[in-house]
Amino acid sequence: WEVVGRVTETADVASFRLRPADGGPVRDFRPGQYVSVRVTLDDGARQIRQYSLSGTPGPDERQFSVKRVHDEGTPGTPEGEVSGHLHARVRAGDVLELSEAYGDLVLDTDPAAPLLLASAGIGVTPMTAMLAHLADHGHDAPVTVVHGDRSPADHALRA
């Protein structure tokens, strides 16, 4: 998949938009699903991490958002190698390996059902895909969104 866009959401969160590098077809996904992303690190190691899709299901694109994990000085909590690599090295034009979308924590699309979407921190990512889907499909029932974060500046995808 080719990175066609990168947006800095906060000081520690970036969103990546990708399209198939070969222009091939893209399977649909359900809001709330995730993809596995495989990268080759500077030392040659290949690592895989999962990231929730944070954009609307589209015919030819995927979007996921990544929070950079810092070493807080706490023993046993190393910096995130893959998140750090994506933040430091990946730009538009680069190519990443992505899996198909997976996961069972998906939006129930009953248009008559009221919804409560609750998240905290980077857990907002599947909620943004769900909200975009609801808006695109004219969901008529009440939707309540509750999100907790350290500060407005830390609230990724707030807009």
Side-chain angles (χ1 to χ4, degrees), residues 4-128:
V4 295
R6 176 190 163 131
V7 175
T8 300
E9 306 287 355
T10 70
D12 288 322
V13 176
S15 293
F16 299 88
R17 270 191 9 264
L18 300 96
R19 287 191 185 128
D22 65 1
V26 176
R27 289 190 200 168
D28 221 4
F29 72 92
R30 296 179 64 195
Q33 291 187 307
Y34 63 89
V35 291
S36 294
V37 178
R38 182 164 67 177
V39 299
T40 302
L41 301 174
D42 293 341
D43 64 2
R46 298 178 91 184
Q47 294 288 328
I48 299 172
R49 295 293 180 270
Q50 288 71 39
Y51 298 101
S52 294
L53 293 164
S54 57
T56 305
D60 64 350
E61 285 190 358
R62 294 286 180 266
Q63 176 181 299
F64 62 91
S65 302
V66 177
K67 181 175 182 178
R68 178 179 22 228
V69 179
H70 293 285
D71 176 0
E72 302 283 332
T74 306
T77 57
E79 290 201 14
E81 282 188 299
V82 176
S83 67
H85 175 83
L86 291 168
H87 274 264
R89 306 257 187 263
V90 177
R91 302 289 183 263
D94 290 339
V95 175
L96 297 174
E97 292 182 61
L98 254 63
S99 72
E100 291 291 338
Y102 295 100
D104 296 328
L105 179 64
V106 294
L107 182 63
D108 178 1
T109 56
D110 177 355
L115 293 171
L116 169 63
L117 301 177
S119 62
I122 196 63
V124 72
T125 56
M127 302 306 162
T128 59

